[in-house]
Amino acid sequence: MFEVRMPQLGLTMEEGTIASWLKAEGDTVEVGDILCEVETDKLTNELPSEFAGVLRAIVAPVGEDVPVLGLLALIGSADEPLIMPGESAPAAPGQPESAAASAAVDDSQPATVKPSRRIRASGLAKKIAAARGIDLTDVIGSGPGGRIVARDVEAVAAAPAVQVAAAVPEAEALAPEALATPTAPTAPVSTEGRRERMTGIRRTIARRMTESWTTAPVVTYDASADTTALTELKNAIFDDQDKKVSYTHLLAALVTRALLDFPLLNSSVDGDDLVFHDEVNLGIAVAIPEGLVVPVVKDAQRKGIGTLADEISALVNKAKNGELDPGDMQGGTFTITNLGMFGIESFSPIINMPEVAILGVNATVPTPVEIDGKIVLRPRMKLSLTADHRAVDGAVAAQFLSKVCALIEKPWLSMM
């Protein structure tokens, strides 16, 4: 019997969530066949089989959180005895399964003692039961082979307690107030809406954002820049090279240039140390239906606008198609997140740790400004820089943001 266990799909992965099973118990499996989909670290990964045979048992059902190397399924031959890990082989016909099976019944044993049985439960189910004081012997498992999973424990915890009314003396039962016209008990009004468990991606986002928010003392700095020259550059690239680039592509190149002048913004905090990175690994936040992912362009300082545009577009497409690899999202040193297309004019982005800063891009808004003594409308883009005050003081953050704004207004300076 072959054991299918949860692989470690990323360096920081501790557990994965079964998103779906593509094979059912009893199906024939060949090496390389996709068994299931696993959600972890903002990605959905297909898990191919390393074994050939018959899928004899699915141990981890859909929605189950399974630690790395946790058991997912068993694959074997169709006529092979199904023995779960840790279980003994079934007893031969006519032979008692244990000494207890042939022992005489002790009439003196209290009737309230529960018969002993092996409890098969997931790790998460055991944690929930321990936290809520639930005896797993009282829980009926709904998983494969009667295995207790998290939803079974939650169901027991949510069930109303059975209350036994104390005996009422007959005289008290006949009291005058008891003869009054009875009223139907009012059902409690529930104010709780539909409950839905977070997906693996959503839980990862929640954990990382909470870690960032509670670890780094942050300050957000806002500034705006005239985008007239940037728009002209964008149109010129299209006219000259027939290459479509976006404002995000151009900003990626300009921000990379500014980071070379302000290496503190391209560092990380590691305990009491600051780690200055030799390369600019630029993260680009991408919204997908399941949440937010941040693929990373490696060594952005070595690439021109055309190459950056191509790589960013490829990563965005992979993100939207669910094709990102764990390596596509690791090693970031600075992140850009753009909400301008939604009309957002200001926000405070949360740092993608262990980075020390993140740049939020807002909408470009026609703004009245004075030029040569006249009030005219100019397109201005507001930028929101959030920085970790442990590493970046206000003056440095302000200087970096001013540099980015200067490059937006005079993008040719990035070539000097």
Side-chain angles (χ1 to χ4, degrees), residues 131-405:
R132 302 195 180 188
I134 296 175
D135 186 350
L136 287 176
T137 59
D138 295 331
V139 181
I140 299 175
S142 63
R147 186 170 184 259
I148 298 171
V149 294
R151 62 173 176 266
D152 302 324
V153 182
E154 293 284 8
V156 172
V162 179
Q163 298 181 350
V164 180
V168 180
E170 184 177 354
E172 185 177 337
L174 296 178
E177 56 269 21
L179 300 177
T181 302
T183 58
T186 303
V189 178
S190 174
T191 58
E192 183 177 356
R194 179 172 61 89
R195 183 183 295 266
E196 184 175 300
R197 182 172 174 78
M198 288 184 181
T199 63
I201 290 178
R202 192 77 254 165
R203 293 200 303 275
T204 299
I205 294 173
R207 183 179 69 252
R208 291 184 175 176
M209 293 299 96
T210 300
E211 176 190 4
S212 178
W213 188 258
T214 57
T215 300
V218 298
V219 181
T220 299
Y221 308 86
D222 294 324
S224 65
D226 189 321
T227 61
T228 301
L230 193 67
T231 301
E232 292 174 352
L233 175 61
K234 176 175 174 289
N235 295 336
I237 292 174
F238 179 77
D239 293 338
D240 183 57
Q241 302 181 24
D242 195 24
K243 187 178 186 64
K244 187 174 182 180
V245 297
S246 69
Y247 288 109
T248 298
H249 299 153
L250 295 173
L251 286 172
L254 300 180
V255 167
T256 298
R257 178 65 182 83
L259 287 171
L260 297 179
D261 292 339
F262 292 86
L264 193 59
L265 276 294
N266 195 51
S267 68
S268 300
V269 175
D270 184 11
D272 292 332
D273 298 332
L274 279 174
V275 180
F276 291 87
H277 302 290
D278 295 328
E279 64 286 333
V280 176
N281 292 337
L282 200 63
I284 305 294
V286 180
I288 60 175
E290 295 80 7
L292 190 71
V293 294
V294 185
V296 177
V297 178
K298 306 296 196 305
D299 290 322
Q301 79 282 359
R302 301 179 185 276
K303 298 164 182 175
I305 291 177
T307 303
L308 282 175
D310 290 341
E311 290 198 18
I312 291 173
S313 296
L315 287 170
V316 169
N317 288 334
K318 288 179 69 175
K320 292 183 176 180
N321 294 329
E323 298 173 349
L324 286 174
D325 298 321
D328 291 330
M329 302 172 59
Q330 295 173 352
T333 60
F334 189 92
T335 296
I336 296 176
T337 177
N338 190 347
L339 295 181
M341 68 285 291
F342 301 113
I344 298 300
E345 297 183 18
S346 180
F347 70 109
S348 298
I350 299 178
I351 295 172
N352 187 25
M353 298 188 74
E355 299 166 18
V356 298
I358 181 172
L359 183 67
V361 181
N362 300 283
T364 299
V365 179
T367 305
V369 297
E370 181 184 356
I371 299 179
D372 297 331
K374 297 180 180 180
I375 301 299
V376 296
L377 289 178
R378 303 288 284 185
R380 296 192 69 86
M381 173 189 290
K382 182 181 286 187
L383 303 174
S384 301
L385 175 72
T386 297
D388 184 345
H389 218 314
R390 295 176 302 169
V392 183
D393 291 331
V396 177
Q399 291 169 14
F400 170 77
L401 191 54
S402 295
K403 177 70 173 182
V404 173
C405 289

